[in-house]
């Protein structure tokens, strides 16, 4: 098997996040081919070898899978890599994600544990309350486009005028903005040359409130009159209501949505959303679960897993806008949230006050540094880290508290599997686990894991050497 060789085969299964496994009979080995569905017959070219394993690039789907029982629901499928599995039935999507989790976790978890399956999102389509669209062109020197990157490309942008992951209000706003700048022949920012004006359109919409925040992100390289655009946006017939239109200036060389300066063109720079009877104020860059109805399922699961916390202090680490903290606060003695994004911490404090919760405290800073300065000691800990998991220097500090229960929420199951290795070596056992499908049609899923403290004399029974345990414990304290 060499680079450039072309093969045909059937995708046997798809491993997380979207790695199709194709067995090449004459080679008696498998090739990883991304962006496929189990059961598809595909043609692919070998494009690289990684750690001795072959990886192929999908060239063509020769035969559909028997799992593809639905027609595509948007005009840019399958060129757009946003929703890979929209032609599969929703139950089959959840079954595939469950199989992916079990393959990873059955290997990562020491001893037995209970896996409680995948919980469905209450809404399969139109569930996203946040979307970042990019300006660009669909092909070199083509007309201006606004939408999502073409699968496998960091440059080509497909106009997502009928995206089914978002509410129809967002699609109407996208089309309005795109037509406005097309008519005026306004340039988009070219990442390699670092020239141009239009960068991103960030849309946020409360699923329960219908409040919409429109954020236009540009460079400062050009000046354009945006108030006619504001008037056009406000005249759109929407189910919800635009409460704020912002012009965000960003001259960063990197392709990230951030603000050097924010100008309010209309209304306010926040919107409200409601979860489980609580009201949350959300700003442009503060983290909030992107599926509001799915988040309710997720947080109810966390509340169930954490158990009785009366008269207990809870640490909510990587707390974002404090949603988990405030869901737990009514049944806890005290909840302390730690979050590195200051804007999110400010919003969390406001939200707690608005919801009449006086037993929440939120601290801005890196978990690794903040834990040294917190006087209180937790009785239980909730972890909801970013996609890459917990920093290896922060995890030992968290485990040093020795709490009886930890609930870990992960949006990337491979990061959870990696962190479980140290957590189990430090005396914790996985008691139960489930997933909440917050990202229907896509490769992603949230995993919720309950860990309990194991007594040291039982650790030998699951194959953990006590000397290793003490060494790792002491290394963690030394950090």
């Amino acid at each position: 098997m060499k680079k450039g060789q072309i093969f045909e085969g059937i995708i046997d299964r798809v491993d997380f996040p979207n790695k199709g496994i194709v067995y090449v009979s004459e080679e008696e080995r498998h090739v990883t081919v991304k962006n496929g569905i189990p059961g598809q017959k595909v043609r692919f070219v070998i494009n690289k070898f990684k750690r001795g394993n072959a990886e192929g690039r999908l060239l063509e789907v020769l035969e559909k899978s028997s799992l593809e029982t639905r027609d595509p629901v948007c005009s840019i499928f399958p060129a757009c890599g946003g929703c890979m599995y929209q032609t599969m039935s929703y139950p089959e999507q959840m079954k595939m994600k469950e199989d992916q989790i079990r393959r990873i976790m059955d290997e990562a978890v020491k001893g037995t544990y209970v896996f409680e399956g995948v919980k469905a999102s209450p809404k399969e389509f139109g569930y996203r309350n946040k979307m970042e669209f990019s300006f660009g062109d669909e092909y070199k020197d083509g007309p201006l486009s606004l939408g999502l990157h073409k699968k496998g490309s960091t440059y080509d942008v497909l106009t997502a005028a009928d995206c089914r992951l978002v509410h129809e209000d967002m699609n109407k706003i996208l089309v309005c903005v795109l037509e406005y700048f097309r008519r005026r022949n306004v340039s988009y920012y070219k990442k390699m040359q670092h020239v141009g004006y239009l960068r991103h359109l960030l849309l946020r919409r409360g699923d329960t409130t219908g409040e919409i925040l429109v954020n236009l992100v540009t460079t400062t390289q050009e000046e354009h009159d945006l108030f006619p655009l504001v008037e056009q946006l406000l005249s759109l017939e929407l189910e919800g209501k635009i409460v704020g239109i912002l012009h965000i200036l960003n001259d960063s060389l990197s392709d990230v949505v951030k603000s050097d300066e924010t100008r309010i063109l209309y209304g306010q720079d926040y919107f409200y959303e409601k979860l489980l009877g609580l009201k949350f104020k959300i700003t442009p860059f503060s983290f909030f679960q992107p599926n509001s109805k799915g988040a309710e399922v997720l947080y109810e699961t966390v509340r169930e897993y954490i158990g009785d916390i009366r008269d207990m202090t809870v640490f909510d680490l990587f707390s974002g806008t404090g949603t988990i903290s405030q869901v737990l606060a009514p049944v806890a003695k005290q909840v302390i949230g730690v979050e590195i994004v200051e804007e999110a911490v400010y919003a969390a404090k406001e939200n707690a006050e608005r919801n009449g919760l006086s037993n929440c405290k939120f601290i801005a800073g890196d978990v690794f540094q903040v834990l040294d300065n917190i006087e209180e000691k937790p009785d239980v800990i909730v972890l909801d880290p970013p996609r890459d998991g917990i920093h290896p220097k922060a995890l030992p500090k968290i485990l040093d508290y020795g709490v009886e229960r930890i609930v870990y929420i992960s949006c990337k199951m491979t990061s959870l599997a990696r962190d479980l290795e140290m957590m189990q070596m430090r005396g914790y056992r996985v008691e139960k686990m489930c997933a909440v499908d917050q990202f229907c049609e896509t490769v992603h899923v949230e995993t919720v894991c309950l860990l309990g403290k194991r007594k040291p004399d039982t650790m030998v029974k699951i194959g953990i050497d006590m000397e290793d345990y003490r060494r790792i414990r002491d290394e963690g304290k030394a950090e």
Side-chain angles (χ1 to χ4, degrees):
M1 188 176 290
K2 297 181 293 187
K3 282 186 181 181
Q5 274 189 284
I6 294 176
F7 292 92
E8 294 180 4
I10 295 174
I11 297 178
D12 181 72
R13 68 175 192 272
V14 175
D15 287 344
F16 177 81
N18 64 338
K19 299 176 181 177
I21 304 300
V22 183
Y23 288 94
V24 181
S25 57
E26 58 265 38
E27 295 284 338
E28 295 186 349
R29 60 189 297 188
H30 76 263
V31 180
T32 299
V33 182
K34 293 183 177 180
N35 303 319
I37 289 174
Q40 286 179 335
K41 184 176 181 180
V42 296
R43 178 180 290 119
F44 57 93
V45 59
I46 303 299
N47 61 343
K48 63 179 174 179
F49 292 89
K50 191 173 182 180
R51 300 188 186 94
N53 297 316
E55 295 187 10
R57 178 169 55 84
L58 181 66
L59 297 176
E60 183 183 2
V61 176
L62 301 173
E63 294 178 15
K64 291 175 63 174
S65 165
S66 61
L67 298 177
E68 294 182 89
T69 57
R70 305 192 298 191
D71 292 328
V73 296
C74 78
S75 61
I76 57 176
F77 179 86
C80 169
C83 10
M84 294 293 305
Y85 306 126
Q86 59 173 269
T87 54
M88 296 172 65
S89 72
Y90 189 42
E92 285 292 345
Q93 291 180 40
M94 290 196 295
K95 181 179 182 300
M96 181 177 67
K97 291 181 179 183
E98 178 174 339
D99 291 344
Q100 291 174 351
I101 295 170
R102 292 304 299 264
R103 280 194 292 272
I104 291 172
M105 294 305 165
D106 286 356
E107 184 176 338
V109 174
K110 294 178 172 64
T112 60
Y113 71 105
V114 176
F115 186 78
E116 298 183 324
V118 179
K119 299 183 180 183
S121 168
K123 296 173 71 174
E124 185 185 353
F125 293 103
Y127 60 84
R128 284 197 67 97
N129 57 43
K130 175 187 177 182
M131 204 67 155
E132 294 178 4
F133 295 111
S134 298
F135 287 95
D137 52 20
E138 189 170 339
Y139 53 89
K140 186 174 173 57
D141 299 325
L144 182 69
S145 57
L146 174 57
L148 302 169
H149 286 280
K150 187 182 293 186
K151 187 163 52 186
S153 173
T154 56
Y155 300 102
D156 301 333
V157 174
L158 303 170
T159 293
D162 58 349
C163 179
R164 289 293 304 278
L165 295 188
V166 300
H167 191 279
E168 181 60 23
D169 285 353
M170 290 194 185
N171 290 327
K172 289 181 178 179
I173 291 169
L174 180 147
V175 170
C176 177
V177 172
L178 175 59
E179 290 179 349
Y180 180 85
F181 289 114
R182 268 186 179 174
R183 286 194 299 268
R184 288 158 177 77
N185 198 29
V186 177
S187 68
Y188 72 89
Y189 180 74
K190 296 183 177 180
K191 291 180 286 188
M192 294 299 290
Q193 295 96 326
H194 307 303
V195 295
Y197 180 68
L198 299 167
R199 299 193 72 153
H200 299 94
L201 178 67
L202 168 62
L203 300 179
R204 305 195 73 160
R205 183 187 188 277
D207 188 66
T208 58
T209 63
E211 295 185 354
I212 302 167
L213 199 60
V214 180
N215 307 272
L216 176 68
V217 185
T218 77
T219 68
T220 60
Q221 295 181 23
E222 300 174 14
E223 288 286 341
H224 294 276
D225 183 6
L226 299 178
F227 285 98
L229 173 61
V230 171
E231 292 176 353
Q232 290 181 29
L233 287 170
L234 295 177
S235 67
L236 291 173
E237 292 187 9
L238 305 175
E239 184 180 314
K241 180 184 178 183
I242 294 175
V243 296
I245 301 174
L246 310 181
H247 181 197
I248 296 173
L249 304 176
N250 174 19
D251 284 319
S252 169
L253 296 181
S254 59
D255 189 33
V256 294
V257 181
K258 62 183 287 291
S259 173
D260 297 331
E261 179 188 348
T262 298
R263 299 171 182 172
I264 300 177
L265 304 180
Y266 168 81
Q268 60 204 34
D269 61 352
Y270 60 88
F271 71 101
Y272 289 108
E273 179 64 307
K274 294 179 180 178
L275 286 183
L276 298 174
L278 300 171
K279 189 174 182 180
F280 296 94
K281 177 182 177 182
I282 305 168
T283 51
F285 298 107
S286 57
F287 174 78
F288 196 83
Q289 289 289 349
N291 179 344
S292 297
K293 295 296 184 185
E296 291 191 325
V297 177
L298 177 67
Y299 295 151
E300 285 174 337
T301 302
V302 172
R303 196 155 58 184
E304 172 201 336
Y305 272 31
I306 205 168
D308 185 0
I309 52 175
R310 287 175 295 179
D311 302 320
M312 291 187 180
T313 295
V314 181
F315 276 15
D316 176 14
L317 305 182
F318 316 97
S319 56
T321 50
T323 44
I324 294 176
S325 297
Q326 291 169 72
V327 167
L328 298 178
V331 291
K333 173 186 174 183
Q334 181 185 25
V335 183
I336 298 175
V338 180
E339 168 60 45
I340 196 168
V341 179
E342 291 188 15
E343 181 182 343
V345 172
Y346 180 77
K349 291 177 179 178
E350 273 194 291
N351 289 329
E353 184 177 351
R354 182 176 298 104
N355 291 314
L357 300 170
S358 57
N359 62 336
C360 288
K361 180 166 77 172
F362 297 100
I363 303 170
D366 190 311
V367 167
F368 173 63
Q369 297 173 328
V370 167
L371 291 182
D372 291 333
N373 301 317
I374 300 178
E375 294 181 359
E376 296 90 345
K377 302 298 180 187
D379 298 297
V380 292
I381 293 175
V382 177
L383 301 170
D384 189 8
R387 190 170 297 278
D388 289 335
I390 302 170
H391 193 282
K393 288 187 176 181
L395 187 53
K397 285 189 177 184
I398 294 168
L399 299 177
D400 278 345
Y401 286 112
V403 299
E404 292 297 316
R405 280 168 287 163
I406 295 176
V407 176
Y408 191 131
I409 306 160
S410 173
C411 57
K412 185 178 180 182
M413 62 187 83
T414 49
S415 297
L416 169 60
R418 181 204 64 213
D419 290 344
L420 283 179
E421 183 176 359
M422 178 179 288
M423 298 173 87
Q424 291 174 120
M425 291 288 282
R426 290 287 300 271
Y428 286 90
R429 68 178 296 270
V430 176
E431 295 183 359
K432 59 181 178 178
M433 187 184 300
C434 73
V436 178
D437 189 19
Q438 292 231 83
F439 311 99
C440 319
E441 322 310 316
T442 80
V443 302
H444 304 293
V445 66
E446 294 271 352
T447 307
V448 186
C449 179
L450 172 65
L451 297 106
K453 185 70 172 174
R454 185 186 295 275
K455 289 185 170 35
D457 60 356
T458 67
M459 291 167 59
V460 177
K461 297 177 183 178
I462 62 167
I464 297 177
D465 182 86
M466 286 301 297
E467 288 302 318
D468 284 343
Y469 165 71
R470 293 189 182 97
R471 175 178 53 77
I472 292 175
R473 178 196 61 192
D474 293 340
E475 286 176 358
K477 290 179 178 178
E479 291 280 3

